[in-house]
Amino acid sequence: MTKKAQILFILFTISAIGVSLAQEKLLNKGNEKYEEYSFRPAIDIYKRVLDKEFVSADLLKKLGNSYYFNSDYKEAAEIFQKLVTEFPNDVAPEDYFKYAQTLKTLGDYEDSNKVMSQFTALTTSDARASAFKEERDYLAEIKTNSGRYDITSFEYNTVYSEFAPAFYKDGLIFSSDRDTGNFARYRHTWNAKDFLDLYKVNSDSVSMNVVTKFGEDINTRLHESASVVTKDGETLYFTRNNFVEGKYVKDEKGIIRLKIFRARMIDGIWGEIEELPFNNDGYSVANPVLSPDEKILYFTSDMPGTYGLSDIFMVAINDDGTFSTPENLGANINTEARETFPFVTNNEILYFSSDGHPGLGGLDIFATKIKRKDFNGKVLNVGEPINSRRDDFTFIFNELSKEGYMASNREGGIGEDDIYKFLEKEPLVFECVQQVTGTVRDKISNNVLVGATVKVINENNEEILSDITNSEGNYSLVLDCNQGNFVRALMEGYVPFEEYIGVSDGKPKIIDFYLERDIITAGFGDDLAKLLQLSTIYFDFNKYNIRQDSEVEVEKVIAAMEKYPSLKIQVNSHTDSRGLAAYNLLLSQKRAEATINYMISKGIGSGRLASKGYGETKLINDCYDGINCSSQKHDLNRRSEFIISE
């Protein structure tokens, strides 16, 4: 190498080192913004670094995430594609998931499914992967749920952001940055430079058809958003940045977290503003909503115990205004991605937004029934037009009027986020309903059991519902056929019996129960026929052979003796008063013997049976000799009894 060449090489190396140091400094600044969740400044910095042809897997991941969390899905898809193509060995499962989500928002469901297959191949216990495997035809399900709403744009939208509507009096509260000039982008975290305030419309005579600020003491110079007011209008729960006594508070990473505050109406002014005790400077708590009885507060958080980026939690509101410990709603609702913006209707249907459950792209709105605080019901995508390929969120609904509101950043809107009004034309079918009916009978006598209890027990051994058999021994139950259940019949003095019904297609099912007595509570001299509620064993006039209709009743006695091997009986037979008394005595004896011979032929040991004929000596009515009785009354006396002898 010549001296001149050496000088040029040194100069080039020094220049390269200078460029490298400058790139590293710029990249560090971008990472600092990224860690603060200031994604928009991070995007600007990362793009400058990328334009200088400096690229790494870490840079692409952070730039892709920054676009993703700002809902710039087209740009995010391009960056994730570059990551997958140029650094395939550095792609994590979460990168594949976000890439698949961005492709959905672009309407490329085929490629999205291919990327999701790569995601599932790298995961073992991820709920999103399980849902994808089990619901590969999720688009067909979404299509089934679609078309149930008429949707129109909220007349008070602006070119700025409007979202988080909440019912208030006869109008709404909502969040907007219309007075700040910024395009606020609230998803799970906020950029601290965007300022959102609460507004109201049509909630009082002052603001009819005019949007005004909500409460002078509620709005601050930072963010106020998602809120709920109690039915009496006296208490407000709302979301605000960690802003206390005029100062904002950052966590150890320099992030201003979100908190839920409570305010009370005092002399027409919102006052006594306090933050809730389960807030924390180290994580966010946001998006409050009340249960129908206002005894439970649902909210969103990324507190410890969260499955993904954000989960839905709940706390009980005690009578004295204090709160229980927050509880996660569980893995059926919450995934490893984002679950946020809950809303609970009067019929206890939980609506929420998620990008972890199978959807159309971005955040979709889902629904599940949570009656009896059961959070394991089927989660359904509410379909189009509520959901789109972009972010759809902050859904609220009045089941009485069938009207509601939600927000979206879908194409065709006026601003960054717009509120939409909708009317429900057809309710969402949450349950697979199956009607189960039947009759409960005594197994031996076949008589119906009136007042028997039929219970439905779920697979966790919890009683769900029950019914009592009517005068005809019938019961009727309506089951959720999305889950397995045990149907159990019980009656005092009988052995309980149950039948399992698994997940089904909802077709009606008939289950008849035949219960066995747990023990025959009888003593010497009792009539087994009466205990078993048997029909009377009748004989034709002047005959002693077992009639065909009586064979059924005798078979029931045989069944009882087979079940209770120590049981011994004496068959007593009787005649009516017609004919000579001596002849009737002989005829009755033959009837008794015919009965036990029939039982012996069916396998009952002769040592357990005895017979005795009483002729006309024990009539059960007043049809004595010389009394004019109908043939029906005479029939009643021609009978056999089964008297317990041991």
Side-chain angles (χ1 to χ4, degrees), residues 323-562:
F323 299 87
S324 68
T325 302
E327 297 178 53
N328 192 299
L329 296 197
N332 183 60
I333 290 174
N334 293 314
T335 70
E336 290 80 356
R338 296 180 291 180
E339 279 70 45
T340 184
F341 298 116
F343 180 80
V344 181
T345 68
N346 285 335
N347 289 335
E348 291 191 276
I349 297 172
L350 169 66
Y351 291 89
F352 63 96
S353 290
S354 170
D355 60 3
H357 293 277
L360 296 174
L363 290 170
D364 271 18
I365 295 168
F366 296 83
T368 182
K369 274 199 170 184
I370 58 172
K371 284 192 174 182
R372 297 180 295 273
K373 304 300 175 288
D374 180 5
F375 301 105
N376 295 310
K378 189 171 184 179
V379 176
L380 297 179
N381 187 302
V382 302
E384 296 178 303
I386 294 295
N387 288 324
S388 67
R389 296 191 313 221
R390 301 298 297 273
D391 289 328
D392 309 292
F393 53 102
T394 59
F395 179 102
I396 63 174
F397 180 50
N398 183 322
E399 288 168 324
L400 187 61
S401 67
K402 305 298 182 184
E403 293 181 340
Y405 297 85
M406 45 82 66
S408 178
N409 65 348
R410 65 187 60 189
E411 295 180 0
I414 298 174
E416 291 289 295
D417 298 316
D418 287 331
I419 294 174
Y420 293 85
K421 183 177 181 179
F422 63 82
L423 176 68
E424 184 188 66
K425 300 181 296 182
E426 180 183 348
L428 186 66
V429 178
F430 294 96
E431 297 175 329
C432 174
V433 176
Q434 181 177 34
Q435 186 174 31
V436 178
T437 58
T439 305
V440 182
R441 296 177 178 273
D442 184 296
K443 185 175 182 179
I444 295 176
S445 69
N446 202 43
N447 291 326
V448 299
L449 297 180
V450 178
T453 300
V454 183
K455 295 182 177 181
V456 177
I457 312 295
N458 66 16
E459 292 178 329
N460 295 322
N461 203 32
E462 300 168 331
E463 181 179 335
I464 302 301
L465 69 157
S466 64
D467 192 23
I468 304 295
T469 55
N470 60 18
S471 60
E472 297 178 343
N474 298 326
Y475 71 91
S476 179
L477 299 163
V478 178
L479 280 64
D480 178 4
C481 55
N482 285 319
Q483 62 183 30
N485 293 289
F486 296 90
V487 181
R488 183 181 302 167
L490 308 97
M491 182 79 174
E492 185 176 356
Y494 288 84
V495 178
F497 189 82
E498 68 183 17
E499 184 167 330
Y500 177 74
I501 302 178
V503 176
S504 70
D505 57 5
K507 293 181 179 179
K509 188 176 182 67
I510 297 176
I511 302 177
D512 292 328
F513 290 98
Y514 297 87
L515 302 186
E516 295 183 351
R517 288 182 177 270
D518 52 3
I519 187 172
I520 293 183
T521 54
F524 177 78
D526 287 336
D527 187 353
L528 183 61
K530 291 181 178 179
L531 293 172
L532 298 178
Q533 298 180 353
L534 302 184
S535 299
T536 305
I537 308 298
Y538 292 119
F539 297 87
D540 290 329
F541 177 69
N542 201 31
K543 292 183 179 181
Y544 56 82
N545 59 294
I546 302 293
R547 290 192 338 197
Q548 187 173 0
D549 61 337
S550 294
E551 286 184 6
V552 176
E553 303 306 309
V554 178
E555 289 287 351
K556 295 173 183 177
V557 177
I558 293 171
M561 297 193 73
E562 289 175 342

Side-chain angles (χ1 to χ4, degrees), residues 55-74:
V55 63
S56 68
D58 184 67
L59 170 64
L60 294 177
K61 288 184 180 186
K62 290 177 178 176
L63 179 56
N65 287 338
S66 298
Y67 280 127
Y68 183 85
F69 290 119
N70 271 276
S71 301
D72 296 330
Y73 294 122
K74 183 176 182 298

Side-chain angles (χ1 to χ4, degrees), residues 257-374:
R257 296 289 183 172
L258 304 176
K259 291 186 174 183
I260 296 177
F261 290 78
R262 177 169 60 185
R264 303 187 188 278
M265 178 66 73
I266 303 174
D267 297 328
I269 299 175
W270 291 107
E272 296 185 1
I273 299 175
E274 58 179 340
E275 66 169 279
L276 301 191
F278 48 87
N279 287 329
N280 191 286
D281 293 341
Y283 51 77
S284 289
V285 178
N287 311 330
V289 67
L290 291 165
S291 62
D293 61 7
E294 300 187 341
K295 293 183 179 180
I296 295 176
L297 185 76
Y298 297 91
F299 61 92
T300 304
S301 181
D302 59 349
M303 65 174 59
T306 302
Y307 291 89
L309 295 175
S310 63
D311 282 3
I312 300 173
F313 291 78
M314 71 176 188
V315 291
I317 304 174
N318 302 318
D319 292 338
D320 61 359
T322 59
F323 299 87
S324 68
T325 302
E327 297 178 53
N328 192 299
L329 296 197
N332 183 60
I333 290 174
N334 293 314
T335 70
E336 290 80 356
R338 296 180 291 180
E339 279 70 45
T340 184
F341 298 116
F343 180 80
V344 181
T345 68
N346 285 335
N347 289 335
E348 291 191 276
I349 297 172
L350 169 66
Y351 291 89
F352 63 96
S353 290
S354 170
D355 60 3
H357 293 277
L360 296 174
L363 290 170
D364 271 18
I365 295 168
F366 296 83
T368 182
K369 274 199 170 184
I370 58 172
K371 284 192 174 182
R372 297 180 295 273
K373 304 300 175 288
D374 180 5

